[in-house]
Amino acid sequence: MPDVVEIPTLEELNVKEVNVSSAVLKAAAHHFGSQCDKPSKEFMLCRWEEKDPRKCLEEGRKVNDCAFNFFRQIKGNCAESFTEYWTCLDYSNMAELRRCRKQQHEFDNCVLDKLGWKRPELGELSKVTKVQTARPLPENPYHSRPRPEPNTPIEAELQPAKHGSRLFFWNW
Amino acid sequence: MAASKVKQDMPPPGGYGPVDYRRNLPRRGLSGYSMFAVGIGVMMFGYWRLCRWNRERRRMQIEDLEARIALLPLLQAEHDRQMLRMLRENLEEEATLMKDVPGWKVGENVFHTERWVSPLPEQLYNLRPREELIQKKFGFQWYV
């Protein structure tokens, strides 16, 4: 019955992408988690409630905008210490954060001085949060058919089973 | 016979000193119990150090996982956009390829439902060279 799968056009999907490598992202991850918290949580809530990526493109765009501003602020203020930090991370095997504690403290102090951002404590980003949205809760996101009503009345006359119970040997 | 004026190797005057010929099996060292105690003590110390290091490693792992949690929205949004972009390109290709086929509805839903069904890699990489599909499906096996 449904005819065509609607896919958004290429212009709608055209979003300013954050063109940055994995070490940079991992270096900035904790601060990104505390700064860009609101749009991120809204996007994830939208994605997981609607179960449809086409409905969450707007929120995704907001996440990207927030990320852009975030990196722009870092670049404007703490560029050198951030570069040191992520190059150190990139150099280490598996981008282990423990190999770069010195640069991490430098970067954190710089960001705290200039921008007032505090690095979230261990365990703060994994806390479960409640998200406030203007978007209404979607009803029936799985598009399931209406359930049949329970205990439909049986019309025919019930007879005892022919050849005895079929559950004779499987009666546990 | 020559008298005792010949130079010979003789014992020192007064004879040799006493020779200690008794068995020398001194009772020394730790007893059995204390050896066990030392061994178990060293093991306990090792376990305690290992426990502390494992707790530290667990804290480091939580840090890594939190970095992942923080970055997930960005990566998920980008992945969604990439997937939708590929589907859109496939749709447009399909429109150009099948425009002369009678009775073909472009972009027709193959399911009877309205909900979003995640596309398979075969669906996404259908019109691209086979290597890209293989890379997508099995590339993780060759990751170093």
Side-chain angles (χ1 to χ4, degrees), chain B residues 40-127:
Chain B
I40 291 176
V42 168
M43 280 201 327
M44 287 293 136
F45 173 67
Y47 292 151
W48 172 75
R49 267 221 327 211
L50 194 63
C51 181
R52 281 222 324 208
W53 175 237
N54 279 349
R55 285 189 187 151
E56 181 64 34
R57 272 174 67 201
R58 186 173 292 271
R59 267 175 258 140
M60 288 196 269
Q61 197 208 21
I62 291 179
E63 204 178 348
D64 284 339
L65 287 176
E66 289 204 332
R68 178 181 174 265
I69 288 172
L71 291 173
L72 262 185
L74 254 186
L75 301 172
Q76 182 74 41
E78 199 176 322
H79 177 78
D80 284 345
R81 262 176 263 134
Q82 182 66 16
M83 184 181 54
L84 289 170
R85 204 168 283 148
M86 287 210 267
L87 281 174
R88 183 79 204 174
E89 284 165 6
N90 284 357
L91 182 73
E92 282 164 16
E93 274 287 323
E94 192 190 335
T96 54
L97 287 172
M98 304 299 274
K99 64 178 174 339
D100 293 327
V101 176
W104 180 268
K105 244 194 281 185
V106 176
E108 188 181 359
N109 194 1
V110 288
F111 302 105
H112 283 294
T113 177
E114 290 262 353
R115 75 174 98 129
W116 172 259
V117 180
S118 290
L120 296 169
E122 280 82 2
Q123 216 178 322
L124 288 172
Y125 287 85
N126 196 18
L127 299 166

Side-chain angles (χ1 to χ4, degrees), chain A residues 58-122:
Chain A
E58 203 41 56
E59 280 88 349
R61 193 164 296 160
K62 285 195 203 127
V63 170
N64 251 68
D65 286 336
C66 181
F68 239 82
N69 285 337
F70 173 78
F71 279 112
R72 197 171 284 155
Q73 275 182 298
I74 289 190
K75 209 163 142 181
N77 289 319
C78 278
E80 299 87 24
S81 53
F82 184 57
T83 315
E84 297 259 312
Y85 184 29
W86 76 257
T87 30
C88 166
L89 259 193
D90 210 7
Y91 182 69
S92 79
N93 188 19
M94 293 286 288
E96 288 171 4
L97 291 172
R98 69 178 170 118
R99 301 262 181 225
C100 301
R101 291 288 179 208
K102 204 160 69 85
Q103 288 90 344
Q104 184 194 313
H105 285 309
E106 252 184 60
F107 174 57
D108 280 344
N109 290 338
C110 169
V111 156
L112 185 61
D113 289 332
K114 301 225 181 125
L115 294 161
W117 294 348
K118 249 181 19 160
R119 188 187 167 87
E121 296 291 327
L122 192 70

